[in-house]
Amino acid sequence: MNGKDTFTIADLLKRPVFQRAVLVAGIQGVQRTVGWVHVLEITHVSPFVSRHDLILSTGLWMKRDEKERIEYMEQLIRQGAAGLCVEFGTTIDTIPEEILSLANAHQLPIIVFEQPVRFVEITQDIHSLLINRHHLLLQDLESFSRKLQTETLRSSDMTAILRLLQEYVSRQVVYMSTIDGNRFVPSIHARLAERLEQLYSQEVEGALGSDREAHSVFRLNEHTSILFSPVVCFGQVFSAVGIFIQADETLKESMSLLLDHTSRAAATLVLRTQFLEERTLRNQNELIQDLLHRRIANEEQAQSRMGLRLLTKGQYWFTAGMIEVEHLRKDISQVRREAVHQDLLVLLRSLLKKLNLHGQIMAKGNQVYLLCTREALTPKSIVHIREVLAQLIQGMRNYAEKQLEGVRIHAGFGRSRSRALEANQGFEEAYQVIEIARSVKGKRNVLFYEQLGIYQLLKAIPRNPFLTMFVEDHIGELIAYDLEHHMQLMDTLEMYLNCSGSKQDTADRLFIHRQTLYNRLSKIQEILGEGYMEADKRRCLEMALLAHRMLQGES
């Protein structure tokens, strides 16, 4: 930049209208930024003072008692005022010692005009200067923005826009990313690069967020900090652009604005790169289709097509999953549906990179087949895979909830297996997870096949005619009676079994009077027979109830 964007107390004192002024306190604060000038004589100034305001006063408030004088100064300090200018000769001729001491303690400059001065001349001079500086800043930003646009249209080279930022700020510029290579302009020593990677992974990545302030400062060492701006795509932070600053440096407005423009341009390049990777989806589609239809000859061939290196020790874990996009609004156009699916695919691939998961993707209608691979480094590798996959799905659901109106994300994952050729079984299990999560109330948050419990068995049983007949044999009469008389016998029986036959607990959890419960249990016994709580009969009833809920939800 041209350096004209910051105006300080030190610059102020060089103006012609301040040639007769004397700095009597707060000399350590002469680098404070002056953003505007106000004339204030009232004692309650907080609502009228903003950060970087310079206050002009005749000192009328200093004729009040010490407590009120101190309160006036503390208000200026709390509001972050740039400084205080006082005119002698109109109201006061000296400044109380306690005011000078307080100003020195907080490095708040106090400037004195020892003879009367026209405040209007000061405001006109400083306001004109500030407006001109702001105009020059906007011109520089417009020029920078045009050059950024040219670079982003010319290529997808992230380093080019970083060089442009470095040219404008004349400082070290860094680009840290979880889905792409880190970049440093100019280049830096390997040790410093390693320290930056550590800082980003341990502090910056977790602190930056799309719903937080646009910029955040992080301490690199005793002398240096970094001003970071997040690169946000689809509501997710995948990267950050940073500028080195001195640890105690006052941030310039231009620096923040330049950084903001650059992070937006970086987001454009990230998205373009991800969209260009659509080409690789063709090969992944063919691979998953071949796995589903068992058209791959052997495991070595499958892993080779997935781009996996041959392991001399250990093995890979393969986890097959499905993601289903549900559109709650039926009036949405086909073009809009396809655009949403495309955006979600780009987000999915970006999250896979961010979470360091090797994944093969196949999109088919509103469903996405996902085959993830992770090297089995420890006995807890499978647990870690599930944790990462849970983060992946949560990221997609967060985006859908905040950015996509009327879109819901369903997901499920099969067992982790050591052979890619068994992925077809994993996809079947993954879809069963989605079915159960959508149809069974108590399983809404289930993501993994191992969490299905007894529903693993129920899903394996043929629906027609066996499972349907089983339900009809054991609770068919109860279902029919409920449909006709609306006595909620099914809910009552289910809760009674869940409470291990405790009438008090059942009544409490159903929020009904005990006599009402007795009436319902009497009717249940009449329909099912007296021995319905015996062990064998009870197990059959519990299975039939679960199967009925599952079939009902699926239908």
Side-chain angles (χ1 to χ4, degrees), residues 331-555:
D331 60 339
I332 187 172
S333 67
Q334 185 61 31
V335 173
R336 175 58 182 160
R337 286 174 185 263
E338 292 177 359
V340 167
H341 296 169
Q342 185 73 15
D343 288 349
L344 288 171
L345 279 174
V346 173
L347 173 61
L348 175 59
R349 287 197 301 277
S350 299
L351 287 170
L352 285 170
K353 286 185 177 180
K354 181 178 181 179
L355 297 171
N356 196 27
L357 265 181
H358 185 280
Q360 309 285 322
I361 299 173
M362 181 182 78
K364 189 175 182 181
N366 69 325
Q367 294 176 334
V368 179
Y369 291 74
L370 173 63
L371 181 59
C372 294
T373 310
R374 177 63 67 87
E375 190 173 345
L377 299 174
T378 69
K380 293 185 177 180
S381 291
I382 293 180
V383 175
H384 184 254
I385 291 173
R386 291 179 191 163
E387 292 174 351
V388 174
L389 290 174
Q391 293 179 46
L392 175 81
I393 299 304
Q394 190 58 52
M396 297 194 68
R397 285 175 172 168
N398 288 343
Y399 171 68
E401 181 181 340
K402 296 177 181 178
Q403 306 292 333
L404 303 176
E405 182 182 355
V407 173
R408 185 180 294 160
I409 303 295
H410 304 281
F413 295 92
R415 292 188 183 95
S416 295
R417 292 174 164 85
S418 59
R419 286 168 48 83
L421 291 180
E422 297 175 352
N424 62 318
Q425 300 173 40
F427 288 123
E428 290 177 8
E429 293 168 353
Y431 191 67
Q432 289 178 18
V433 173
I434 293 178
E435 286 187 320
I436 293 297
R438 295 181 67 167
S439 61
V440 179
K441 186 176 181 181
K443 297 291 184 180
R444 296 285 167 84
N445 296 321
V446 167
L447 278 179
F448 302 100
Y449 185 75
E450 291 86 345
Q451 297 173 322
L452 292 184
I454 193 65
Y455 288 100
Q456 292 178 344
L457 179 60
L458 291 175
K459 293 295 290 184
I461 299 173
R463 300 292 190 277
N464 293 308
F466 183 82
L467 194 58
T468 304
M469 291 293 294
F470 180 81
V471 172
E472 179 63 28
D473 288 344
H474 291 279
I475 57 174
E477 291 184 46
L478 206 62
I479 296 171
Y481 191 89
D482 252 2
L483 287 173
E484 183 176 354
H485 299 282
H486 308 289
M487 280 190 67
Q488 299 180 347
L489 299 185
M490 292 284 290
D491 292 339
T492 303
L493 175 61
E494 186 173 23
M495 186 60 71
Y496 188 52
L497 294 173
N498 289 341
C499 293
S500 303
S502 169
K503 295 181 176 62
Q504 182 64 55
D505 290 346
T506 304
D508 291 344
R509 293 176 67 176
L510 289 174
F511 302 102
I512 60 176
H513 194 274
R514 289 195 65 173
Q515 188 58 50
T516 303
L517 176 64
Y518 295 155
N519 293 338
R520 292 183 186 179
L521 291 178
S522 177
K523 179 56 66 175
I524 290 172
Q525 181 174 305
E526 179 184 326
I527 295 173
L528 299 180
E530 293 185 1
Y532 74 93
M533 287 298 287
E534 293 176 1
D536 288 343
K537 181 64 174 176
R538 173 178 174 163
R539 280 192 286 268
C540 289
L541 287 174
E542 289 173 336
M543 290 286 287
L545 285 167
L546 291 172
H548 173 66
R549 299 295 189 203
M550 183 181 74
L551 294 172
Q552 192 178 43
E554 290 177 359
S555 64

Side-chain angles (χ1 to χ4, degrees), residues 37 40 65 110 115 136 156 166 170 187 198 239 306 333 356 384 399 411 417 435 451 480 492 500 523 549:
V37 181
L40 281 178
D65 61 42
I110 295 181
Q115 295 177 352
L136 290 171
S156 296
Q166 200 276 333
S170 301
S187 59
Q198 184 182 32
S239 316
M306 293 173 71
S333 67
N356 196 27
H384 184 254
Y399 171 68
R417 292 174 164 85
E435 286 187 320
Q451 297 173 322
T492 303
S500 303
K523 179 56 66 175
R549 299 295 189 203

Side-chain angles (χ1 to χ4, degrees), residues 99-227:
I99 298 299
L100 296 174
S101 297
L102 190 59
N104 285 323
H106 292 275
Q107 300 179 11
L108 178 70
I110 295 181
I111 301 168
V112 168
F113 289 93
E114 296 182 340
Q115 295 177 352
V117 64
R118 295 181 65 198
F119 282 168
V120 67
E121 293 182 4
I122 297 175
T123 56
Q124 286 179 345
D125 179 67
I126 304 305
H127 287 173
S128 297
L129 181 70
L130 292 173
I131 291 171
N132 288 335
R133 285 175 178 269
H134 189 67
H135 180 66
L136 290 171
L137 170 61
L138 293 178
Q139 285 183 328
D140 278 348
L141 281 173
E142 185 179 356
S143 172
F144 179 71
S145 182
R146 286 198 301 268
K147 291 180 180 179
L148 269 182
Q149 186 177 24
T150 300
E151 289 295 344
T152 53
L153 290 174
R154 181 182 300 167
S155 70
S156 296
D157 183 10
M158 188 71 71
T159 304
I161 67 171
L162 297 179
R163 286 200 192 99
L164 183 60
L165 175 62
Q166 200 276 333
E167 175 187 327
Y168 269 70
V169 298
S170 301
R171 296 163 183 261
Q172 177 69 53
V173 173
V174 300
Y175 173 78
M176 310 302 296
S177 175
T178 55
I179 63 174
D180 197 2
N182 299 326
R183 293 174 174 82
F184 311 100
V185 179
S187 59
I188 60 176
H189 193 276
R191 288 184 180 177
L192 179 55
E194 185 178 343
R195 171 71 184 103
L196 283 168
E197 290 174 7
Q198 184 182 32
L199 175 69
Y200 184 75
S201 62
Q202 293 181 359
E203 299 181 36
V204 181
E205 184 181 5
L208 291 178
S210 59
D211 56 346
R212 294 170 58 89
E213 294 183 1
H215 310 94
S216 296
V217 176
F218 298 85
R219 180 66 67 93
L220 180 65
N221 54 45
E222 184 180 354
H223 306 290
T224 307
S225 294
I226 307 178
L227 176 64

